[in-house]
Amino acid sequence: MATKVIIGAQWGDEGKAKIIDILSEKAEVVIRSQGGNNAGHTVTVDGKVYKFHLIPSGILYPGTKCIIGNGVVIDPAGILEEIDGLLREGISVDNLRISERAHVVMPYHKVLDGIKEIARGTDDIGTTKKGIGPCYMDKVERSGIRFCDLMNEEVFAKKVKENVIVKNKIIKYVYEQDIQFDADEIIAEYREYANKLARFVTDTTVLAFEAVDSGIEVLFEGAQGTLLDIDLGTYPYVTSSHPVTGGVCVGSGIGPTAIDECLGVMKGYITRVGKGPFPTELFDDTGDKIRNVGHEYGTTTGRPRRCGWFDAVIGEFAVRTSGLTSIALNKIDVLSDIKTIKICVAYSKNGEITKHFPASLEELAKCEPVYEEMPGWGVIDHIKTYEQLPKNAKAYIKRIEKLCGAKVTMVGVGPNRDQNIYVN
Ligand code: GDP
Ligand code: IMO
Ligand code: MG
């Protein structure tokens, strides 16, 4: 393996950071390509918990270069907080680089995120309110501000002034809110950020190309998950970027020929935060048990995650739309205490069976899961090899492999670095 893309194959929080952390031991470069600090990535090393939002989790390995690519939207205050946190832990950030093409999350993006959610009323998306959607909106609308602009005092001031005039009008006249921004205050606040971040900002497309070209091991760290993709996910209950493998090329400035392997991370069940249809969602004690045993509460917002049975229709969709070459199946230890485990193998819609994830949310809401039942396997969090796993756990893994159409190469039996089993 030289270059490997790691993406979330469900609705996010599949344990991507844990997999990145394990694979980072051998990787020299880790690159983030999309999303922002809406992501919450947790790594546990010897019982100590590290939380990341923007910085690739490879930063825990001294010497590993960590790149935040052009497709990421960056809140300067957010990243500085993360950098300070790492420095307090004695972790060096000297190997961090930020793309000069990445867009800057501005204070009005965060406020607009919240205001838009209120205006949506009961149809709210349940965003993280980190300004992600409004920042990507400005990028696509071509009025956004990039890191290269932030580094140029004159250009930055001009762009902030232009934007503040428009945003203040939108806030006042469209959303009828009292909040108004002062361009000079923002410019002064962001000047400080620019000074602190300048040493990290560069043309990361060159670094990415050189890394790939030299044949060293490069990892691309996905954020969010397939069903949160703006094109392929459960629109409009999605994020505003491309968490699928296709997003990696644009978001880090490499070509598709640079990618050797695509690993999709799944959990042995499904969770989602925010709103939108979720066919296998559990509203009973089993759902509560999974939430409590799996500590399914958001890293970024602390919200309880909605929990449900593994859905192979989603699994197949992720394998197909991202060209996944393998699967990392995390958190099957969480199911240890459940006697009979269900897998959704298809949907039944008005008596018709389908194995394809529908585009229309109205159609998805009509889909009833078709379940297969499998016997549980008891405690496994101490197990180190695939051979030692109980036969019921192996059967579950093999069934998921068959239904999704890609080989399971890694199995998670706990949050720690050493609670991962490689499957031969
Ligand atoms: P990410 O956003 O995909 O990186 O995932 P999160 O970090 O938001 O959520 C995954 C959570 O599950 C974290 O708290 C991890 O420490 C934890 N985790 C990861 N893999 C496993 C596993 O195999 N078993 C258990 N019990 N926890 C895991
Ligand atoms: P990681 O990388 C899970 C969800 C939000 C909301 C929707 C839109 O930790 O897997 P946004 O703030 O992006 O506009 O919110 O997307 N969401 C995530 N859910 N994991 C994430 O990231 C998420 N990032 C965004 O909850 O439903
Ligand atoms: Mg997460």
Side-chain angles (χ1 to χ4, degrees), residues 1-7 23 217-221 245 248 254 256-264 322-327 407 409-410 422:
M1 182 275 302
T3 59
K4 196 172 212 167
V5 173
I6 289 96
I7 62 136
L23 298 176
E217 306 228 340
V218 181
L219 298 178
F220 294 89
E221 175 169 349
T245 54
V248 163
I254 55 152
T257 47
I259 298 170
D260 295 324
E261 286 182 40
C262 297
L263 172 68
S322 271
L324 298 180
T325 51
S326 57
I327 295 168
K407 193 168 162 40
T409 53
M410 298 168 84
Y422 286 100

Side-chain angles (χ1 to χ4, degrees), residues 267 269 271 290-291 294-298 303-305 307 331:
K267 284 194 271 215
Y269 50 92
T271 64
I290 292 175
R291 184 175 309 104
H295 305 292
E296 295 296 355
Y297 295 87
R303 288 179 288 177
R305 295 171 182 157
C307 300
K331 299 189 94 159

Side-chain angles (χ1 to χ4, degrees), residues 336-379:
S336 284
D337 203 23
I338 301 174
K339 288 218 156 33
T340 303
I341 292 164
K342 292 185 183 180
I343 300 186
C344 167
V345 295
Y347 296 151
S348 164
K349 200 180 55 188
N350 304 328
E352 234 179 78
I353 300 293
T354 177
K355 289 191 175 182
H356 291 149
F357 196 79
S360 148
L361 294 196
E362 287 68 33
E363 293 297 306
L364 183 62
K366 286 184 210 151
C367 287
E368 291 289 330
V370 177
Y371 286 119
E372 257 177 36
E373 293 190 350
M374 300 191 76
W377 44 77
V379 177

Side-chain angles (χ1 to χ4, degrees), residues 13-18 40-42 44 299 305 330-331 333-334 412-415:
D13 302 324
E14 299 90 348
K16 297 175 289 294
K18 179 198 164 189
H41 293 175
T42 317
T44 310
T299 313
R305 295 171 182 157
N330 273 329
K331 299 189 94 159
D333 55 299
V334 173
V413 294

